[in-house]
């Protein structure tokens, strides 16, 4: 996949690329005042939702095409580039006709290959930069598939947006970061720039700053941050938007790590990691052999493979131990579930013999 830079003329090539603006374009005055303040701080790309997919009917679903001239005014009066979300072919046509500079495909759209293909078809013959958010569910293949559909339509200015993944069990975050998924996207598609959407991951404005820093520490290429002149009175997603002044503070306090430094001094520590990984693999192999012996015993005594009480005890005890050792309980649970699934697979093979 050969991509072109998504950077537009006049945009600072330094990391991070910053796109900012309100969740929704609400009024012409709100759009212009937010854009003026962001422009005064050096932000070059203004974002605003025109069409807003909502979880339930009855909510504010965007001002619609009425807001497109407001974005055009931002371009003409402030010299900023403008970006908005599209969810179907009609949105693409209207955005292109209004001279929108960048479009993005939202998480609720990425999850639907038919919708993505419809958008891709509408983009054929254009060179507009397209940003593609991860699907709402943690499915890397869907994300990659959406990128490939847009690429196959001839678009060469493509970037991904990590906005986290929906979860029924909401704790700290509105959408779980699951950083390993965008990291794996980077491994499989290193040519695709990745931006972070801390607003949708956090769901609360106080989480925006730490999430921006985490994204930079993971070498993300940019940020797309929801910014509103009066967040408390925003018509949508009020709790996760920050003021332009707060965004300016966040950006000025970001620590940008040097990505081109030599790693020679890490060699000794990396050798330790390699040795420890080998030890872990040997221990896991030994554990699977014991699981097979247990499977043989269960077969001989006509016992079911799954012993739910035993499994629950292992989860509770090991997770508690892990916490005392400084490990995150969710990490330990994921490890134990994976080990248990592999153990069950080994025991099922024994049962078949």
């Amino acid at each position: 996949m050969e991509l072109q830079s998504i950077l537009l003329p006049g945009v600072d090539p330094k990391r991070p690329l910053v796109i900012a603006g309100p969740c929704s374009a609400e009024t012409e005055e709100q759009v212009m005042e937010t854009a003026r303040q962001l422009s005064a701080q050096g932000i070059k790309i203004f974002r605003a939702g025109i069409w807003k997919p909502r979880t339930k009917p009855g909510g504010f679903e965007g001002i619609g095409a009425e807001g497109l001239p407001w974005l055009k005014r931002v371009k003409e009066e402030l010299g900023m580039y403008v970006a908005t979300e599209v969810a179907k072919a009609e949105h693409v046509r209207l955005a292109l006709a209004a001279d929108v500079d960048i479009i993005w495909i939202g998480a609720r759209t990425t999850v639907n290959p038919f919708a993505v293909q419809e958008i891709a078809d509408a983009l054929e013959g254009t060179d507009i930069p397209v940003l593609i958010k991860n699907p709402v569910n943690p499915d890397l293949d869907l994300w990659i598939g959406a990128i490939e559909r847009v690429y196959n339509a001839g678009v060469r200015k493509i970037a991904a947006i990590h906005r986290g993944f929906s979860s029924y069990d909401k704790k700290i975050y509105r959408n779980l970061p699951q950083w390993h998924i965008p990291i794996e996207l980077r491994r499989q598609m290193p040519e695709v720039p990745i931006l972070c959407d801390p607003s949708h991951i956090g769901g609360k404005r106080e989480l925006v700053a730490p999430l921006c820093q985490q994204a930079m520490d993971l070498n993300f290429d940019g940020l797309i941050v929801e910014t509103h002149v009066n967040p408390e009175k925003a018509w949508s997603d009020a709790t996760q938007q920050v003021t332009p002044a707060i965004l300016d503070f966040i950006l000025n306090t970001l620590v940008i790590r040097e990505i081109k430094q030599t790693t020679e001094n890490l060699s000794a520590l990396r050798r330790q990691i390699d040795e420890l990984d080998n030890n872990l693999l040997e221990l896991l192999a030994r554990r699977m052999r014991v699981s097979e012996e247990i499977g043989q015993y269960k077969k001989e005594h006509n016992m079911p493979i799954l012993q739910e009480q035993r499994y629950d005890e292992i989860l509770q005890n090991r997770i508690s131990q892990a916490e005392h050792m400084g490990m995150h309980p969710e990490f330990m649970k994921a490890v134990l579930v994976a080990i248990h699934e592999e153990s069950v697979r080994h025991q099922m093979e024994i049962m078949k013999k």
Side-chain angles (χ1 to χ4, degrees), residues 1-60:
M1 182 177 286
E2 295 183 8
L3 295 179
Q4 300 172 17
S5 173
I6 62 168
L7 290 178
L8 296 163
V11 176
D12 193 334
K14 291 190 302 183
R15 188 168 68 100
L17 168 69
V18 179
I19 302 172
C23 171
S24 301
E26 301 163 358
T27 66
E28 188 169 6
E29 179 184 7
Q30 169 246 11
V31 166
M32 292 306 301
E33 184 55 32
T34 305
R36 285 191 194 98
Q37 292 188 29
L38 290 170
S39 178
Q41 294 166 3
I43 302 297
K44 300 293 185 183
I45 306 175
F46 179 80
R47 57 140 291 156
I50 299 296
W51 301 281
K52 297 297 299 180
R54 311 308 296 173
T55 302
K56 295 181 179 179
F60 175 61

Side-chain angles (χ1 to χ4, degrees), residues 6 11 17 56 73 89 107 119 135 155 222 279 286 304 311:
I6 62 168
V11 176
L17 168 69
K56 295 181 179 179
R73 186 179 166 196
I119 291 169
V155 177
N279 291 339
R286 286 168 56 187
Y311 181 46

Side-chain angles (χ1 to χ4, degrees), residues 218-232:
L218 291 169
N219 197 28
F220 277 45
D221 299 282
L223 304 165
I224 179 166
V225 185
E226 292 191 346
T227 314
H228 192 294
V229 285
N230 194 350
E232 290 79 6

Side-chain angles (χ1 to χ4, degrees), residues 92-125:
V92 174
R93 288 191 286 270
L94 289 169
L96 292 173
D99 204 23
V100 168
D101 300 291
I102 299 171
I103 62 172
W104 76 83
I105 300 173
R108 289 182 173 89
T109 305
T110 306
V111 79
N112 184 343
F114 291 113
V116 175
Q117 188 60 55
E118 178 184 329
I119 291 169
D121 292 343
L123 285 168
E124 282 197 34

Side-chain angles (χ1 to χ4, degrees), residues 88-264:
K88 53 186 181 179
E90 180 188 5
H91 295 166
V92 174
R93 288 191 286 270
L94 289 169
L96 292 173
D99 204 23
V100 168
D101 300 291
I102 299 171
I103 62 172
W104 76 83
I105 300 173
R108 289 182 173 89
T109 305
T110 306
V111 79
N112 184 343
F114 291 113
V116 175
Q117 188 60 55
E118 178 184 329
I119 291 169
D121 292 343
L123 285 168
E124 282 197 34
T126 71
D127 63 352
I128 187 171
V130 179
L131 316 178
I132 302 170
K133 288 195 173 186
N134 62 257
V136 290
N137 57 311
D139 189 330
L140 178 60
D141 285 341
L142 267 180
W143 200 1
I144 292 175
I147 293 170
E148 290 176 342
R149 288 176 188 277
V150 173
Y151 180 84
N152 289 343
V155 177
R156 293 297 178 264
K157 298 174 183 177
I158 298 174
I161 300 177
H162 172 49
R163 51 78 78 189
F165 302 90
S166 296
S167 169
Y168 178 77
D169 183 20
K170 298 185 187 299
K171 294 183 179 178
I172 297 175
Y173 303 105
R174 177 182 177 184
N175 295 293
L176 299 178
Q178 299 200 43
W179 297 106
H180 66 283
I181 295 178
I183 288 171
E184 179 61 16
L185 176 69
R186 169 65 52 84
R187 190 187 71 80
Q188 293 194 33
M189 307 183 90
E191 67 280 7
V192 177
I194 305 179
L195 282 63
C196 179
D197 178 350
S199 308
H200 278 90
I201 293 175
K204 296 185 282 288
R205 62 181 58 90
E206 59 267 26
L207 294 176
V208 170
L211 286 164
C212 286
Q213 186 60 61
Q214 289 179 62
M216 291 302 97
D217 291 344
L218 291 169
N219 197 28
F220 277 45
D221 299 282
L223 304 165
I224 179 166
V225 185
E226 292 191 346
T227 314
H228 192 294
V229 285
N230 194 350
E232 290 79 6
K233 294 186 178 180
W235 296 3
S236 59
D237 289 347
T239 61
Q240 67 190 39
Q241 301 191 65
V242 298
T243 64
I246 292 297
L247 176 64
D248 191 51
F249 175 80
I250 291 171
L251 296 177
N252 284 325
T253 54
L254 275 181
V255 178
I256 307 299
R257 315 293 178 187
E258 175 55 61
I259 61 176
K260 294 183 179 179
Q261 284 199 35
T262 178
T263 59
E264 290 179 7

